[in-house]
Amino acid sequence: MKPAPFNYIKPSSIGDALAALGEHPEAVLLAGGQSLLPMLNMRLVAPSHVIDIGALPAMNEVSIADGWLRMGALLRHCDLAASPTVAEAAPLLQAAARHIGHPAIRNRGTIGGSLALADPAAELPACLLALGGRLVIEGLDGERVVEAAAFFTGTFETALRRDEILRAVEVPVLAPKYRSEFHELARRLGDYALVGLAAHGQIDNGGVHDLRLAFFAVGDKPALAVAAARSLEGKSLSEANIAAAVALLADDIHPIGQPGYGERTKLHHCGVLVKRALSRMAA
Amino acid sequence: MSDTPPHGPLHAVLDRPNSYIGRSVPRPNVRRLLQGRGNYVDDIRLPRMVHVAFVRSPYAHARIDGIDTAAALNSPGVVAVVTGAELAEYCTPWVGVLSHLAGLKSQPQHAIAIQKASWQGEAVAAVVAETRAQAEDGVDAVQVQWTELPIVADMETALDDQTPVIHPDLGDNLAWQRSFEAGDVDAAFAAGTVVDEEFSFGRHTGVTVEPRAILSSYEPAEGRLTVHHSCQAPHMMQNIFATHLGLEEHDVRVICGDVGGSYGIKVHAYADEMATAALSVMLRRPVKFIADRLESFLTDIHARDHRVRARMAISESGKILGIEIDDLTGIGPYSVYPRTSGIEANQIVNLTGAQYTCGNYRAKTTVVFQNKVPMCQYRAVGHPIATAVTEGLVDAAAAAIGMDPIEVRRRNLIPDDAYPCTAATGLSFEGLSHHRALARLVELMDYDSLRAEQERLRGDGIYRGIGIATFIELTNPSAMFYGVGGARISAQDGCTLRLDAKGNVICTTGVTEQGQGAEAVMAQVTATAVGVTIDKVRVITGDTDVVPYGGGTWASRAAGIGGEAAVQAGKALRENILKVAGIILQAEPETLDIREGRVVDGADGNDRIGLDEVGRIAYYRADTLPKDFQSELVATRHYVPKLFPFAFTNGVQASWLEVDIETGFVTLLKHWAVEDCGTVINPQLVDEQIRGGVVQGIGGALFEHCLYDDHGQLLNGSMMDYLTPMAAEMPDIEVAHVETPTADSELGAKGAGEAGTAGAPAAVLNAINDALMPLDVRLNIHPATPERILAALGTVG
């Protein structure tokens, strides 16, 4: 389990990193390495160059401006989990961070690496979807911003072009009366989820509004249960209303099974997670 | 009833003033290992050493039409690319059969496959290079032309007429079949209430922390082979390397240094390891092979994979009247050498129901070939299956007649005063303590309170269950296990003790250390038997050039067999030391004793002379001793169990868990184990053996499963997808002991390495079924995954 030979580049500025990316069409970016290194060692990828962006300056900031929480792409999962700013502005992200792998993985892994990799079972892409987040991308031509809903396009596939670098991610600062729930089912602590749910919505006047139910580990990318969420708009989170929404999940979510864990079980578990998340949101 | 037997002559040898028996002393190697200073095979680097990586079959069954090695030979650093036919010049094939498993057959297996590959992962060529990375680059460059062959994946249809035969020379896919019958089974089933269940046990594997590892070095000038090997049985491997590489046994040296876990995985002759040794002979230089984690999943032996149809008849008064089982198992394409792949099935026939008095028993087992990773002995061979079947039937039968699970066991376990006795299956029991152990368990877990709590929580929609599993464990095997069938595997073990000139004792033993603390046990026994403090004992294991001939460490034999050899060697050395001391002190040796490294007067303990002084005089000033006296400050003794073929132990476990009936997830709340391994030499090490064993048993019950598709492709062969049991999901495990020493040895120790694994799966599945009883659901599938529990509940189809 040794990687195929590759060249290693460690640029000191994002400009140099972009130049290196442009120069080497078979290059990959290395951030925290928690997914890339195993993939290299298993020879699932054999790039010509590994461009280590871990030392790029000013890419792990946490800041708030104009109602948006901005987090640099090199922010590590452990720092995401520990940040009081994140806890206040986006408690969903903090709740999710605890579920990302094990402490050793969270100590090295970066949020940008996880988002750019777009593993369908990863926690953060679904959170971004639930929160209506956006991704700040830098290329040789400058910066562009992509909505989370448009960013994740498939298994390990995103709107990120191969000569671009994910610079930061932004989510709206938690608005009044909004609440979040993060639930996942994993066989063992720290495992990839069998299935997971990031839920976000406003509880006001006894009803739920603007509810977003973002599932992960269900298909090739995080998925919003649009019909189920819409069915609850303005309604109370009563047992009956929740049950009716759960019944709509089969229209929204089309899970892909995995060995020993079929799509019907997965869909059933999605329903259980919705029930549990919304019951807590109502409490 | 007391948990401790009366002290008799049995314990006299150990009941000494400075006894270490029954004390949790630290392991001599623990500080070094915890500091990261272990010296594992991969830490060893020899001059001119090269690395081998293997080209492995991507298909479960495929003919090799050609192997193009040209590009690989040109790859940087590559030294050689070797095919099976080329290596066969250096290594003869083997057949994994034993004569006492009558009728067991298998195909000759080569170190590297020659005409075809028979499982996904079988090696078909070796690439040797200066570094492992270069060897892997070379592997990528080898082109193999394949023709896919029809695959035998499902053991249920392996014997069907339409199913292709994997090895045409064998005629069919049947490896072995055994039937057994005792008593009047038909009459028993006609007389009672009958429960009928089907059990299935998934394939799983051992997942050692250190993977399989071998560094083989051949010295052509002397014709000597030195093999550094992560292995449990160095003398067995010495014989196998010599036999198949055409060397004399004394020209082969096998060294097992630090070994990072074994669990039975490292007690077999693996083709890729044989190939590594053969390559070192062929290339005349050291060759290293370290299995990486992905190839571990594809080449380490797998275990279990049984389907058992089983019935039990029970009377209204709770008397088990009859038991019948029909077992089927698939073992991959070869019976593994030299222990064979028939032993697990044989154990299931032998062990099922053997803790109970029921004499009416019928069993059949069918062992078939298939195109999957070869199966062989892994921790608690057969026990988890026999126990889960027996105890699952007992719980089902108890429910059928409305009797408490504890009570039905009380009424059927062999009475503690019935020994020695023979089970229906012919196993001889010297002395077991089922009833004392069960009573201790009931007390430990506060059974009645748990039942009350369970009942109360059911009212709140919380489903908790209690699962009980009684079991027996085969330990300290005599030659009846392997030797009688023709395998050159030593059942006896030896120990040599030598007093050095400073009064220290050097202990060399045939048993091996794999991380479980066998060296600590040997040090404790040696220190006690000789009469020195434990810091004065140095234990050397695992080097066939150095240690007495022995079997190594497997089948829970190290403490019981190796320990007794150390007892006897210790007695002999003490006697020899006291002869010298008697002369020096002008006292009768019988009046002297050795305590804490000093010769004392036996009667009052008065200090006479230190062992360092005895050593100094014996070694440096022998001129001061009588001319007709020769000191012998070294003693060797060997031991093999003689009175009984095996020292059976017994135990009982209980699991307390909660089933989330919405998700199918199981939360383990608590686990108890009471076991009787005879004399407990080191309580902490025994407890951790039990706990570790329980965890591996839980692994099989809830998590671990080698998932295959219909094409014989392993679907989850990585640490990401294969679920080893991890700490966060494990319950607190409380351990207690009953001690019934074996009279076969003065030490009285039986084995403890497998009891945890033997009983845990049964306890967990019984607890799940107990939890789900109000829902009228039974589940006998291991591992009991959330999906399977939901399917049993009817939640998902």
Side-chain angles (χ1 to χ4, degrees):
Chain A
M1 220 192 283
K2 306 287 181 196
F6 58 81
N7 295 296
Y8 176 83
I9 303 172
K10 189 166 187 179
S12 54
S13 72
I14 194 157
D16 289 351
L18 287 167
L21 261 185
E23 197 179 328
H24 305 293
E26 301 295 317
V28 294
L29 293 178
L30 169 66
Q34 297 306 289
S35 298
L36 179 61
L37 293 187
M39 289 163 77
L40 284 170
N41 285 343
M42 290 193 257
R43 297 192 176 217
L44 297 173
V45 292
S48 67
H49 292 73
V50 169
I51 303 170
D52 183 353
I53 58 170
L56 293 189
M59 270 188 55
N60 60 356
E61 81 279 14
V62 175
S63 59
I64 290 177
D66 305 327
W68 289 81
L69 169 69
R70 180 183 170 101
M71 293 155 287
L74 291 179
L75 185 69
R76 299 185 191 279
H77 300 307
C78 59
D79 296 326
L80 178 76
S83 162
T85 308
V86 172
E88 197 162 311
L92 180 67
L93 292 177
Q94 194 199 31
R98 290 186 293 110
H99 292 270
I100 300 170
H102 301 273
I105 292 171
R106 297 197 287 272
N107 288 346
R108 301 286 315 175
T110 65
I111 64 167
S114 173
L115 294 165
L117 181 67
D119 188 312
E123 285 84 358
L124 293 180
C127 292
L128 250 58
L129 216 52
L131 295 173
R134 61 194 189 193
L135 297 103
V136 182
I137 293 167
E138 188 143 335
L140 282 170
D141 304 335
E143 195 176 279
R144 68 187 178 109
V145 175
V146 178
E147 298 296 320
F151 183 78
F152 302 103
T153 55
T155 303
F156 302 124
E157 284 177 10
T158 68
L160 196 64
R161 291 194 285 265
R162 65 147 307 281
D163 57 355
E164 293 178 320
I165 294 176
L166 177 60
R167 169 117 209 189
V169 54
E170 298 179 340
V171 297
V173 171
L174 189 70
K177 299 180 181 175
Y178 272 79
R179 299 178 71 166
S180 301
E181 282 290 327
F182 186 89
H183 288 254
E184 74 172 49
L185 290 174
R187 291 300 312 281
R188 303 173 304 177
L189 188 72
D191 275 357
Y192 275 111
L194 291 179
V195 63
L197 170 66
H200 188 65
Q202 191 188 40
I203 305 287
D204 198 12
N205 292 327
V208 64
H209 306 276
D210 190 22
L211 179 65
R212 284 161 174 264
L213 301 171
F215 287 97
F216 56 100
V218 287
D220 65 342
K221 56 185 176 184
L224 284 172
V226 177
R230 194 184 296 134
S231 77
L232 288 163
E233 180 62 33
K235 292 185 187 165
S236 76
L237 290 176
S238 67
E239 221 171 285
N241 287 341
I242 293 172
V246 166
L248 293 173
L249 284 179
D251 300 332
D252 279 332
I253 307 294
H254 306 284
I256 299 168
Q258 60 203 60
Y261 186 52
E263 56 208 41
R264 292 169 68 175
T265 310
K266 205 165 242 202
L267 187 61
H268 166 76
H269 277 155
C270 288
V272 174
L273 293 189
V274 167
K275 195 175 115 181
R276 291 183 178 181
L278 295 185
S279 304
R280 283 178 58 106
M281 217 181 245
Chain B
M1 246 182 283
S2 163
D3 285 352
T4 312
H7 277 269
L10 272 185
H11 274 67
V13 64
L14 306 166
D15 190 12
R16 294 172 45 76
N18 62 326
S19 176
Y20 288 93
I21 308 303
R23 286 171 59 184
S24 294
V25 298
R27 303 152 47 167
N29 56 9
V30 76
R31 191 171 302 181
R32 182 173 58 81
L33 295 176
L34 286 176
Q35 288 179 1
R37 293 176 180 276
N39 190 33
Y40 298 90
V41 172
D42 201 25
D43 294 316
I44 302 168
R45 289 168 173 78
L46 298 178
R48 299 181 68 246
M49 184 177 86
V50 284
H51 298 258
V52 59
F54 292 95
V55 180
R56 298 188 179 278
S57 173
Y59 302 109
H61 200 193
R63 197 174 65 229
I64 304 164
D65 293 326
I67 300 178
D68 182 351
T69 61
L73 280 167
N74 286 327
S75 187
V78 169
V79 171
V81 182
V82 181
T83 64
E86 289 161 349
L87 200 64
E89 301 287 317
Y90 294 86
C91 184
T92 57
W94 54 86
V95 182
V97 296
L98 288 168
S99 63
H100 67 309
L101 303 183
L104 174 63
K105 63 183 191 242
S106 189
Q107 182 78 0
Q109 186 180 1
H110 285 272
I112 294 179
I114 293 182
Q115 287 161 333
K116 66 171 189 173
S118 301
W119 83 87
Q120 177 212 7
E122 185 172 14
V124 299
V127 177
V128 183
E130 299 289 344
T131 69
R132 169 79 190 202
Q134 289 172 329
E136 290 187 23
D137 293 344
V139 166
D140 280 355
V142 172
Q143 298 289 323
V144 182
Q145 286 80 48
W146 299 99
T147 299
E148 289 188 63
L149 296 170
I151 287 157
V152 183
D154 184 1
M155 64 186 184
E156 294 281 357
T157 57
L159 300 179
D160 290 357
D161 289 341
Q162 316 83 288
T163 303
V165 174
I166 296 173
H167 304 296
D169 294 350
L170 298 180
D172 56 27
N173 291 326
L174 179 66
W176 189 53
Q177 206 155 29
R178 181 190 168 197
S179 295
F180 179 86
E181 184 152 355
D184 190 342
V185 179
D186 292 332
F189 277 91
T193 301
V194 175
V195 291
D196 203 324
E197 302 277 332
E198 181 167 320
F199 298 83
S200 78
F201 301 85
R203 260 177 181 254
H204 55 107
T205 183
V207 195
T208 54
V209 175
E210 180 209 20
R212 292 189 294 109
I214 182 169
L215 166 54
S216 180
S217 175
Y218 183 64
E219 170 46 65
E222 293 181 332
R224 274 184 62 83
L225 185 77
T226 301
V227 184
H228 300 270
H229 200 185
S230 181
C231 166
Q232 300 173 238
H235 282 112
M236 180 192 92
M237 289 310 302
Q238 177 191 42
N239 169 266
I240 288 173
F241 289 131
T243 302
H244 294 282
L245 300 176
L247 301 168
E248 289 298 323
E249 213 153 305
H250 67 278
D251 286 331
V252 177
R253 179 183 184 187
V254 177
I255 304 170
C256 300
D258 287 326
V259 174
S262 52
Y263 318 124
I265 297 298
K266 296 176 180 172
V267 76
H268 314 290
Y270 285 91
D272 47 21
E273 295 175 12
M274 295 299 289
T276 305
L279 285 166
S280 74
V281 176
M282 180 184 189
L283 301 172
R284 299 181 165 215
R285 59 194 292 186
V287 182
K288 181 186 273 187
F289 168 63
I290 311 292
D292 73 27
R293 192 56 71 183
L294 297 182
E295 56 191 347
S296 295
F297 279 106
L298 290 172
T299 55
D300 287 7
I301 58 108
H302 291 178
R304 321 302 185 225
D305 207 8
H306 287 255
R307 185 274 294 143
V308 185
R309 298 198 178 100
R311 299 198 297 155
M312 178 176 279
I314 192 164
S315 74
E316 286 311 302
S317 65
K319 177 86 187 147
I320 298 171
L321 303 174
I323 301 172
E324 179 171 10
I325 63 164
D326 181 355
D327 170 50
L328 173 67
T329 183
I331 58 164
Y334 296 99
S335 172
V336 173
Y337 186 64
R339 291 167 193 250
T340 84
S341 306
I343 295 288
E344 180 149 274
N346 198 44
Q347 296 273 69
I348 292 165
V349 171
N350 287 340
L351 297 168
T352 298
Q355 62 269 59
Y356 295 115
T357 54
C358 172
N360 303 310
Y361 175 57
R362 182 186 289 145
K364 182 180 155 194
T365 185
T366 304
V367 180
V368 300
F369 295 114
Q370 55 183 176
N371 296 113
K372 294 182 183 175
V373 169
M375 303 258 291
C376 203
Q377 280 74 288
Y378 161 62
R379 197 174 195 172
V381 192
H383 292 70
I385 295 155
T387 305
V389 168
T390 304
E391 295 297 89
L393 287 173
V394 168
D395 268 18
I401 60 165
M403 188 173 283
D404 180 84
I406 296 283
E407 183 55 30
V408 75
R409 286 174 172 85
R410 277 196 193 112
R411 294 186 185 197
N412 290 281
L413 287 166
I414 298 172
D416 288 359
D417 59 5
Y419 302 96
C421 68
T422 303
T425 57
L427 303 178
S428 301
F429 300 134
E430 176 196 359
L432 300 175
S433 58
H434 288 300
H435 290 268
R436 275 188 293 160
L438 185 62
R440 184 84 180 89
L441 179 88
V442 166
E443 172 192 66
L444 205 61
M445 68 191 291
D446 197 357
Y447 181 77
D448 293 337
S449 298
L450 271 192
R451 282 284 177 217
E453 187 180 343
Q454 175 187 40
E455 191 55 39
R456 186 170 49 75
L457 290 169
R458 276 178 183 168
D460 303 333
I462 292 170
Y463 293 87
R464 291 193 177 176
I466 299 170
I468 306 291
T470 66
F471 59 91
I472 57 170
E473 185 205 340
L474 179 157
T475 79
N476 294 4
S478 73
M480 295 302 286
F481 208 25
Y482 291 114
V484 71
R488 291 177 170 268
I489 302 169
S490 171
Q492 65 87 55
D493 237 285
C495 177
T496 295
L497 299 180
R498 185 180 84 231
L499 186 78
D500 77 5
K502 286 284 193 181
N504 304 297
V505 179
I506 314 301
C507 167
T508 55
T509 170
V511 300
T512 50
E513 165 75 54
Q514 295 122 33
Q516 76 286 72
E519 288 181 354
V521 166
M522 297 303 293
Q524 285 176 267
V525 172
T526 297
T528 303
V530 177
V532 298
T533 53
I534 198 162
D535 58 299
K536 298 289 185 191
V537 181
R538 173 157 156 67
V539 180
I540 298 168
T541 62
D543 183 342
T544 58
D545 262 10
V546 174
V547 304
Y549 206 86
T553 298
W554 42 271
S556 301
R557 69 184 296 282
I561 295 177
E564 179 65 10
V567 167
Q568 298 307 328
K571 283 168 65 181
L573 180 62
R574 189 172 72 212
E575 200 175 307
N576 290 358
I577 293 168
L578 290 179
K579 276 185 199 159
V580 182
I583 287 168
I584 296 168
L585 300 170
Q586 299 194 339
E588 289 301 319
E590 300 78 50
T591 67
L592 302 170
D593 194 9
I594 305 173
R595 295 176 193 166
E596 300 192 357
R598 301 196 64 84
V599 176
V600 299
D601 285 326
D604 53 18
N606 278 344
D607 186 61
R608 297 297 301 275
I609 187 173
L611 291 190
D612 52 346
E613 185 63 5
V614 174
R616 186 189 67 81
I617 292 168
Y619 288 124
Y620 304 130
R621 293 305 308 273
D623 59 304
T624 65
L625 298 172
K627 295 204 181 324
D628 60 350
F629 177 77
Q630 176 59 52
S631 61
E632 293 289 352
L633 297 181
V634 60
T636 298
R637 289 294 182 272
H638 293 82
Y639 170 71
V640 69
K642 296 183 180 66
L643 301 180
F644 291 86
F646 310 100
F648 275 97
T649 72
N650 66 279
V652 55
Q653 293 184 27
S655 168
W656 170 237
L657 53 75
E658 182 172 318
V659 181
D660 180 336
I661 64 163
E662 276 191 328
T663 62
F665 274 58
V666 171
T667 303
L668 300 166
L669 301 170
K670 181 89 184 183
H671 201 98
W672 297 267
V674 179
E675 67 82 57
D676 183 348
C677 64
T679 304
V680 174
I681 298 167
N682 186 318
Q684 187 176 26
L685 289 179
V686 172
D687 286 1
E688 296 317 322
Q689 278 296 307
I690 300 298
R691 290 197 178 95
V694 165
V695 167
Q696 282 188 311
I698 289 171
L702 293 180
F703 296 102
E704 297 183 66
H705 195 184
C706 300
L707 293 163
Y708 275 89
D709 70 9
D710 294 342
H711 304 289
Q713 294 285 315
L714 183 62
L715 301 174
N716 62 336
S718 78
M719 291 301 278
M720 189 170 74
D721 297 319
Y722 180 91
L723 306 180
T724 52
M726 303 285 274
E729 285 70 41
M730 292 302 110
D732 182 32
I733 302 166
E734 207 171 323
V735 183
H737 304 279
V738 175
E739 290 190 54
T740 310
T742 172
D744 212 322
S745 68
E746 286 192 78
L747 184 58
K750 308 174 192 174
E754 298 164 283
T757 312
V764 169
L765 265 287
N766 280 357
I768 291 172
N769 284 318
D770 185 56
L772 300 180
M773 201 175 284
L775 304 168
D776 207 19
V777 162
R778 273 195 69 80
L779 174 74
N780 294 319
I781 309 177
H782 301 232
T785 62
E787 176 160 273
R788 286 166 166 178
I789 289 173
L790 290 175
L793 286 165
T795 307
V796 297

